[in-house]
């Protein structure tokens, strides 16, 4: 009963309160997510195969998309069903092209925002795939000889129509026009011409510079990409690129403040003119940035550059370029005033770093720092290379307040040439509660085969367990340091015991190819230790033994002990050469039985041994 089904859904959509609000709200994403509309979507997809129901189904799916605020990554979404049904290259309906066009037109009238999302997905897209929609099982709608294909003429007829609708819907909307520019190369010729005409029209050219800037940036990135690969199959003809470049020039802002913002993004590759000679291209981009900042500085002074830095996506690059300007007003304006303002940290970081690269430590020493606070001095020093030359100045400038530097120092260990000086830094970092940064330094020393102090390594690893420093060290680096300690004969057994116990959750042979070698060896060779581990996890059967109150600390200890026992694979009596000593095993077992019989743990101990 298709009509009854459709009418029920339509009635639910227009009821107050709408049940679909609640259904979407109850969805959960992820591997164990729950989606309650799958059956409904399949039902609508079934109906869409029949021409008489297509328009109603499409409008219903568009209405459901308006309620879909779940932001789920599930493919079972109303909009996805709508796209799948109308895909020009694999339509999931027997309706004619004319009927499909009517469906899209109706959505545009009733739900224009949904229609825009739909149209963009119906345009040629190299990344879109489809497995088709749900097909009816009981109603004999789809002929046996139906084939999932369309003719070339039929396909381009639809593409032309959808592209023209998309351009029509974009109108003066800058965001929509910018989106269409990303599809420029895939648009049919007639639609491409209409889009270029729209971009070259008075409606767009007379917009304020700030409003048309996104279109300018998209166009220039588009043409540069095609110029970068002149021999690629997808590259547009030179004549067409030239036409687009002329439009781009018309749209270009006259204000340097707006014109140069695109140069200061994280994606340098979009700015390259060639697809090889990367170092030369990088240098050209750096020169363009310096020229841009020089022009802004000449027009609006240092205050103009500071405001410009706030408007770009990566103000660190502004700081790098600003360092090329030899004018004392730059130093005196930026330093020390902006050192402690979070908004400008990237700008100041780039400026100090590149100024040092150009002028060396002499520039740092010549600055008038007589009025600077301890915090300002520390922040300035933190932006310099992480090496002994900087640390000498830390001692000279900060004296007993050197901790202010070590609390914020950025150890860019692989960028700075400080290999022989790292042991000094490790001591300071551990002293001032920066153990994770110390671990990074020790890891660098390890991989470049520089001697690592085992005692420092132990101190850093153990300090990290109770540190307030944010943990940004990946487990691989920690594990490599633990393996270094396990293979080092100078490390005391007590130190290695504490390290392995502290990082037992990481020492999982199945997950990380690492194991607590010392702890496992103690289990296999010291029956007393095995019995102690059993006591940490389980409850005694002795009635006269009082129950201990469970605390967070005791739970953590018990979990650690359980991990150790659960992953333990070395049978007591196993020799270093892999052979088994039966007599040693019997002695170990008898001692365990003796101890656990007294303490009330015999049954669980034997289970674990088994």
């Amino acid at each position: 009963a298709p009509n009854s089904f459709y009418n029920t859904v339509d009635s639910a959509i227009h009821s107050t309160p709408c049940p679909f609000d609640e259904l979407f709200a109850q969805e959960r994403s992820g591997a164990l997510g729950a989606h309650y509309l799958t059956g409904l979507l399949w039902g609508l997809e079934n109906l869409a195969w029949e021409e008489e129901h297509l328009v109603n189904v499409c409008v219903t799916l568009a209405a459901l998309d308006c309620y879909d605020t779940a932001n789920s990554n599930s493919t079972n979404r109303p909009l996805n069903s709508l796209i799948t049904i109308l895909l020009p290259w694999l339509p999931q309906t027997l309706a004619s092209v004319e009927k499909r066009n009517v469906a899209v037109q109706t959505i545009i009238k009733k739900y224009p925002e949904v229609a825009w999302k739909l149209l963009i997905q119906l345009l040629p897209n190299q990344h879109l795939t489809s497995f088709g929609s749900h097909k009816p099982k009981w109603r004999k709608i789809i002929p046996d000889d139906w084939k999932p294909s369309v003719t070339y003429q039929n396909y381009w007829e639809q593409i032309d129509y959808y592209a023209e609708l998309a351009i029509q819907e974009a109108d003066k909307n800058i965001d929509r026009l910018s989106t269409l520019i990303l599809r420029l190369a895939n648009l049919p010729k007639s639609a491409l011409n209409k889009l270029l005409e729209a971009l070259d029209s008075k409606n767009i050219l007379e917009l304020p510079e700030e409003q048309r800037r996104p279109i300018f940036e998209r166009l220039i990135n588009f043409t540069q990409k095609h110029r970068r690969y002149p021999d690629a199959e997808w590259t547009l003809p030179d004549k067409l690129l030239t036409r687009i470049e002329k439009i781009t020039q018309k749209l270009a802002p006259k204000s340097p403040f707006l014109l140069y913002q695109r140069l200061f993004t994280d994606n340098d590759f979009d700015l390259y003119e060639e697809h090889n000679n990367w170092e030369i291209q990088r240098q050209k981009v750096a020169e363009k940035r310096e020229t841009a900042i020089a022009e802004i500085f000449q027009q609006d002074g240092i205050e103009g550059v500071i405001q410009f830095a706030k408007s770009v996506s990566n103000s660190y690059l502004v700081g790098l370029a600003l360092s090329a300007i030899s004018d004392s007003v730059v130093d005196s304006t930026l330093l020390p005033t902006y050192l402690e303002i979070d908004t400008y940290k990237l700008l100041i970081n780039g400026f100090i770093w590149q100024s040092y690269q150009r002028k060396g430590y002499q520039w740092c020493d010549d600055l008038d720092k007589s009025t600077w606070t301890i915090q300002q001095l520390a922040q300035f020093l933190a932006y310099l290379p992480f090496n002994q030359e900087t640390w000498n100045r830390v001692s000279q400038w900060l004296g007993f307040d050197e901790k202010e530097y070590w609390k914020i120092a950025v150890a860019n260990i692989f960028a700075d040439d400080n290999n022989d000086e790292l042991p000094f830094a490790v001591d300071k970092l551990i002293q001032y509660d920066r153990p994770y940064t110390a671990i990074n330094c020790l890891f660098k020393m390890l991989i470049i085969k520089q001697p690592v102090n085992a005692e420092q390594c132990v101190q850093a690893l153990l300090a990290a367990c109770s540190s307030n420093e944010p943990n940004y060290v990946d487990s691989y680096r920690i594990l490599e340091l633990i393996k270094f300690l396990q293979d080092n004969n100078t490390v005391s057994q007590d130190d290695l015991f504490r390290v392995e116990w502290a990082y037992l959750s990481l020492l999982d042979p199945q997950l990380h190819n690492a194991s607590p070698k010392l702890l496992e060896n103690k289990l296999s060779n010291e029956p007393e230790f095995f019995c102690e581990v059993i006591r940490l996890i389980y409850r005694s059967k002795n009635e006269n033994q009082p129950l201990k109150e469970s605390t967070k600390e005791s739970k953590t200890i018990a979990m650690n002990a359980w991990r150790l026992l659960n992953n333990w694979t070395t049978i007591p009596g196993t020799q270093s050469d892999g052979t088994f000593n039966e007599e040693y095993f019997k002695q170990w077992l008898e001692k365990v039985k003796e101890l656990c019989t007294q303490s009330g743990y015999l049954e669980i101990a034997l289970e674990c041994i088994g």
Side-chain angles (χ1 to χ4, degrees):
N3 290 326
S4 297
F5 170 73
Y6 170 76
N7 290 335
T8 302
V9 176
D10 187 62
S11 175
I13 288 174
H14 294 97
S15 62
T16 304
C18 178
F20 292 110
D21 282 330
E22 184 67 18
L23 281 173
F24 280 116
Q26 290 181 21
E27 287 195 359
R28 299 190 306 275
S29 59
L32 301 177
H35 310 283
Y36 301 111
L37 277 86
T38 303
L40 171 62
L41 297 178
W42 284 358
L44 291 169
E45 289 173 7
N46 284 349
L47 291 187
W49 285 95
E50 298 185 63
E51 184 168 86
E52 64 177 295
H53 298 300
L54 178 68
V55 176
N56 284 339
V57 167
C58 289
V59 172
T60 300
L61 288 169
L64 286 172
D65 182 68
C66 296
Y67 290 95
D68 187 1
T69 57
N71 294 321
S72 171
N73 56 4
S74 166
T75 55
N76 291 319
R77 319 308 305 166
L79 182 61
N80 288 342
S81 292
L82 191 56
I83 295 167
T84 300
I85 291 167
L86 296 171
L87 273 178
W89 47 273
L90 190 66
Q92 299 297 286
T93 178
L94 299 176
S96 63
V97 172
E98 292 75 16
K99 197 70 170 182
R100 287 178 240 162
N101 292 347
V102 170
V104 175
Q105 287 174 339
T106 308
I107 296 171
I108 289 173
K109 290 177 182 177
K110 291 192 173 186
Y111 304 102
E113 293 299 322
V114 179
W116 172 252
K117 292 188 291 184
L118 171 64
L119 287 169
I120 287 299
Q121 293 300 318
L122 294 181
L123 295 177
N125 182 351
Q126 295 178 354
H127 305 292
L128 196 62
T129 58
S130 175
F131 296 100
S133 70
H134 203 268
K135 296 175 177 61
K137 291 182 179 179
W138 310 114
R139 293 169 61 82
K140 192 67 174 175
I141 297 169
I142 305 175
D144 294 334
D145 60 350
W146 177 82
K147 294 181 180 179
S149 61
V150 295
T151 65
Y152 184 83
Q153 179 180 350
N154 188 291
Y155 170 76
W156 281 109
E157 182 182 340
Q158 292 176 82
I159 293 298
D160 281 335
Y161 183 73
Y162 294 145
E164 289 187 17
L165 284 179
I167 294 168
Q168 175 184 310
E169 288 303 300
D171 192 26
K172 299 178 186 178
N173 188 305
I174 300 300
D175 289 336
R176 291 185 175 184
L177 287 171
S178 298
T179 301
L180 282 176
I181 291 171
L182 295 177
R183 308 292 180 101
L184 201 59
N186 296 322
L187 291 177
K189 188 174 181 180
S190 60
L192 188 149
N193 285 327
K194 286 185 178 179
L195 176 59
L196 293 181
E197 288 171 5
L199 296 174
D200 200 17
S201 67
K202 279 188 175 183
N203 289 337
I204 301 301
L205 294 177
E206 293 180 356
L207 286 173
E209 289 188 345
E210 176 61 43
Q211 290 185 31
R212 67 173 190 256
R213 181 177 61 84
I215 297 179
F216 158 73
E217 291 182 353
R218 284 278 172 88
L219 284 176
I220 197 169
N221 287 343
F222 177 85
T223 53
Q224 281 194 350
K225 177 182 176 181
H226 284 254
R227 293 295 189 193
R228 217 167 30 241
Y229 298 96
D231 300 325
E233 291 182 4
W234 47 263
T235 302
L236 293 182
D238 180 75
K239 185 177 180 181
L240 182 54
L241 288 175
T242 302
R243 179 186 174 189
I244 297 172
E245 287 167 341
K246 288 180 179 178
I247 297 173
T248 306
Q249 290 172 5
K250 294 180 183 179
L251 291 166
K254 292 183 171 54
S255 163
F257 194 93
L258 299 173
L259 178 65
Y260 297 129
Q261 284 186 23
R262 63 178 292 271
L263 294 176
F264 297 89
T265 66
D266 292 318
N267 194 356
D268 281 8
F269 188 73
D270 282 345
L271 307 174
Y272 292 169
E273 296 172 357
E274 300 176 18
H275 68 282
N276 49 23
N277 299 322
W278 304 123
E279 185 57 32
I280 294 175
Q281 294 302 309
R282 188 194 64 77
Q283 186 58 39
K284 284 183 178 180
V285 170
E287 291 171 359
K288 286 181 180 179
R289 287 170 177 155
E290 291 175 6
T291 302
I293 295 302
E295 188 175 336
I296 294 172
F297 179 77
Q298 187 175 4
Q299 178 177 295
D300 300 312
I302 184 60
E303 294 300 334
V305 175
I306 293 170
Q307 290 305 310
F308 176 76
K310 289 175 64 177
S311 70
V312 302
S313 62
N314 190 342
S315 58
Y316 179 82
L317 299 173
V318 177
L320 296 180
L322 181 58
S323 68
I325 298 176
S326 298
D327 193 317
S328 59
V329 71
V330 176
D331 292 351
S332 60
T333 302
L334 293 180
L335 305 173
T337 306
Y338 289 91
L339 276 168
E340 296 180 280
I341 304 176
D342 288 343
T343 310
Y344 301 102
K345 275 193 172 180
L346 283 176
L347 169 68
I348 299 302
N349 188 354
F351 174 73
I352 292 174
W353 177 261
Q354 196 66 6
S355 295
Y356 156 78
Q357 294 292 335
R358 294 176 188 275
K359 307 166 190 174
Y361 279 106
Q362 190 61 48
W363 170 75
C364 307
D365 297 335
D366 290 344
L367 290 169
D368 181 6
K369 300 177 286 294
S370 58
T371 61
W372 292 24
T373 66
I374 291 295
Q375 286 70 28
Q376 289 169 339
L377 287 168
Q379 189 63 71
F380 179 88
L381 289 162
Y383 291 144
L384 294 176
F386 191 68
N387 61 26
Q388 192 65 54
E389 281 286 304
T390 297
W391 304 331
N392 290 340
R393 285 164 178 77
V394 169
S395 179
Q396 295 165 13
W397 297 4
L398 301 181
F400 291 114
D401 293 308
E402 67 172 7
K403 67 178 181 180
E404 299 301 326
Y405 165 81
W406 289 105
K407 288 193 303 184
I408 60 174
V410 179
N412 193 354
I413 56 173
F414 292 103
D416 297 320
D417 185 15
N418 55 7
N419 300 339
D420 296 332
E421 304 153 355
L422 285 176
F424 172 83
V426 170
D427 274 339
K428 292 293 184 181
L429 291 166
I430 295 173
Q431 180 182 350
Y432 295 115
D433 193 29
R434 299 287 302 285
Y436 288 114
T437 308
I439 287 171
N440 269 338
C441 294
L442 289 164
F443 176 74
K444 178 186 179 181
M445 295 164 65
L446 193 65
I447 64 172
I448 64 173
K449 303 189 184 310
Q450 182 178 333
V452 175
N453 185 305
E455 186 177 346
Q456 280 188 329
C457 193
V458 170
Q459 288 177 350
L461 288 169
L462 293 178
C465 297
S466 58
S467 173
N468 293 320
E469 182 185 15
N471 180 6
Y472 56 90
V473 178
D474 60 73
S475 58
Y476 173 76
R477 298 185 178 191
I478 292 175
L479 288 171
E480 288 301 301
L481 291 178
I482 294 176
K483 290 177 183 178
F484 160 75
L485 292 176
Q486 290 175 334
D487 295 336
N488 193 308
N489 295 328
T490 66
V491 181
S492 74
Q493 296 288 290
D494 287 342
D495 284 344
L496 186 54
F497 180 95
R498 289 189 296 155
V499 169
E500 287 190 351
W501 182 261
Y503 290 94
L504 203 51
S505 60
L506 288 181
L507 294 169
D508 188 324
Q510 295 181 346
L511 295 177
H512 300 123
N513 192 29
S515 61
K517 293 181 179 180
L518 175 65
L519 293 176
E520 289 194 349
N521 186 57
K522 285 176 72 68
L523 282 174
S524 301
N525 291 283
E526 299 178 19
E528 295 83 1
F529 180 66
F530 171 80
C531 295
E532 176 63 26
V533 171
I534 290 290
R535 285 195 291 271
L536 291 174
I537 308 171
Y538 300 104
R539 181 181 298 173
S540 171
K541 288 203 170 184
N542 287 351
E543 295 181 359
N544 59 351
Q545 187 165 327
L547 292 177
K548 296 180 180 179
E549 184 178 349
S550 180
T551 64
K552 183 178 180 181
E553 182 180 4
S554 66
K555 288 179 181 179
T556 302
I557 292 173
M559 179 57 73
N560 247 16
W562 181 86
R563 285 195 185 100
L564 175 61
L565 207 56
N566 189 57
N567 292 327
W568 179 38
T569 57
T570 306
I571 299 174
T574 303
Q575 306 299 296
S576 57
D577 60 359
T579 59
F580 179 67
N581 186 322
E582 179 181 350
E583 190 59 35
Y584 183 89
F585 174 75
K586 287 180 178 179
Q587 293 174 8
W588 182 92
L589 179 60
E590 288 304 316
K591 186 64 176 178
V592 168
K593 290 165 71 174
E594 175 191 338
L595 294 172
C596 288
T597 300
Q598 297 170 6
S599 60
Y601 290 95
L602 179 61
E603 184 178 341
I604 190 63
L606 292 177
E607 277 191 29
C608 292
I609 294 169

